[in-house]
Amino acid sequence: MQRVFFNEVVTRDGFQIEPEFVPTDAKVSLVDALSRCGYAKIEVTSFTSAKSIPMLRDAEEVMGRIERVEGVEYTVLVPNVRGAERALESRADEFNLVMSVSETHNLANLRMPRERSFAALREVIGLMDARVPINVSLSACFGCPMEGAAPASEVMAWADRFAELGVRGLTFCDTTGMAHPSQVSRLCEALRMRYPGLQLTLHFHNTRGMGLANVLAAAQQGIDRFDGSLGGLGGCPYAPGASGNICSEDAIHMLQAEGYETGIHLARLLVLARQLPGIVGHAVPGQVAKAGRTVDLHPEPGLVADIRSRFA
Ligand code: ZN
């Protein structure tokens, strides 16, 4: 059975663009509950400045208060050296650095050219000097809403530069939901051949309803790490209409049905998914939390017994 590992990003990627601040207590208890669901990793928060992402201004407090469960890695987003120092202080298990492979998207999202981003991230990697494992998330790997399709050669060129710096893992993000399954298959096949020693993660958004199809396409190419967001929360503030990340529980439900070993206690996770609208104050896109698992059978309606007896 093929094992797949999940990284839950709801408290970072999801909560960062919520219109209302999610209280620190709610963040801490959600992370603690997620820690008991079987995740390999949880992206807890971001050490970006409180000014640029006010929703995650409580990063230190959240990292200080969560309970560390053995076997779960607690990763955080780190934008620069200042963020790295704060994250180190908070005892994060991994730093997740982010830049875009699209120049326009990088300018819009990170307010600087890609080369400047690369230089800043290289400085973080140098400063850490292997004290903390580094993952680099590359945005817009399957297309940019301003520039269009992302050439695989461009994606690989940036991935190569980080691989040379000794990162542990690379995440390929379909930030605005532009990927389609055959494109995903091709890129994943190429990535597995090119980076056999690195942790490779795929990060999909369901902006155009192709999220789960893309997860399956990647898994079928042997990709074994995925980012997902509880309830399908998340989005990209600089991509008009960009809706959420793929929904963790929906993706896990699908992969379990397809015979993959996810390590996730799905029933427990669904309890949390059903609490999420109460935490954020609005409905969320996830489907399985509403419909139940395929194995959760319904009692037959009363009329079935009547009809059955009529045909007996
Ligand atoms: Zn995302």
Side-chain angles (χ1 to χ4, degrees), residues 9 12-13 173-175 203-205 227 233-236 244-245:
V9 302
R12 201 282 297 168
D13 205 342
C173 304
D174 182 27
T175 314
H203 177 115
F204 293 113
H205 279 240
D227 285 355
L233 281 191
C236 174
N245 292 278

Side-chain angles (χ1 to χ4, degrees), residues 79 98-100 105-113 117 121 139 238:
V98 182
M99 67 168 283
S100 184
H105 184 255
N106 206 69
L107 289 167
N109 199 30
L110 300 175
R111 314 276 162 102
M112 60 179 96
S117 283
L121 300 184
S139 306
Y238 303 101

Side-chain angles (χ1 to χ4, degrees), residues 169-219:
L170 294 167
T171 300
F172 298 86
C173 304
D174 182 27
T175 314
T176 61
M178 294 174 75
H180 57 88
S182 58
Q183 178 193 19
V184 169
S185 283
R186 281 193 303 274
L187 185 67
C188 290
E189 191 184 7
L191 293 174
R192 285 200 67 209
M193 275 163 50
R194 197 172 181 96
Y195 309 108
L198 294 187
Q199 275 191 4
L200 302 179
T201 304
L202 271 287
H203 177 115
F204 293 113
H205 279 240
N206 198 37
T207 318
R208 292 175 178 81
M210 294 187 278
L212 292 199
N214 290 330
V215 169
L216 193 57

Side-chain angles (χ1 to χ4, degrees), residues 4 32 35 56 75 103 105 117 169 177 203 241 250 267 277 285 289 293 295:
V4 291
D32 285 348
S35 288
L56 303 181
T75 185
E103 182 73 1
H105 184 255
S117 283
H203 177 115
D250 289 3
R293 299 172 299 174
V295 296

Side-chain angles (χ1 to χ4, degrees), residues 232-278:
L233 281 191
C236 174
Y238 303 101
S243 61
N245 292 278
I246 55 146
C247 170
S248 299
E249 64 273 19
D250 289 3
I252 289 158
H253 177 263
M254 174 189 74
L255 289 171
Q256 288 183 353
E258 288 292 315
Y260 292 85
E261 172 57 47
T262 65
I264 300 283
H265 193 299
L266 185 57
R268 204 176 286 164
L269 185 59
L270 285 170
V271 171
L272 302 182
R274 290 179 182 125
Q275 292 167 355
L276 189 59

Side-chain angles (χ1 to χ4, degrees), residues 152-169:
S153 55
E154 186 75 7
V155 175
M156 304 275 208
W158 288 100
D160 281 354
R161 293 177 72 179
F162 285 108
E164 281 159 22
L165 295 177
V167 301
R168 179 179 68 164

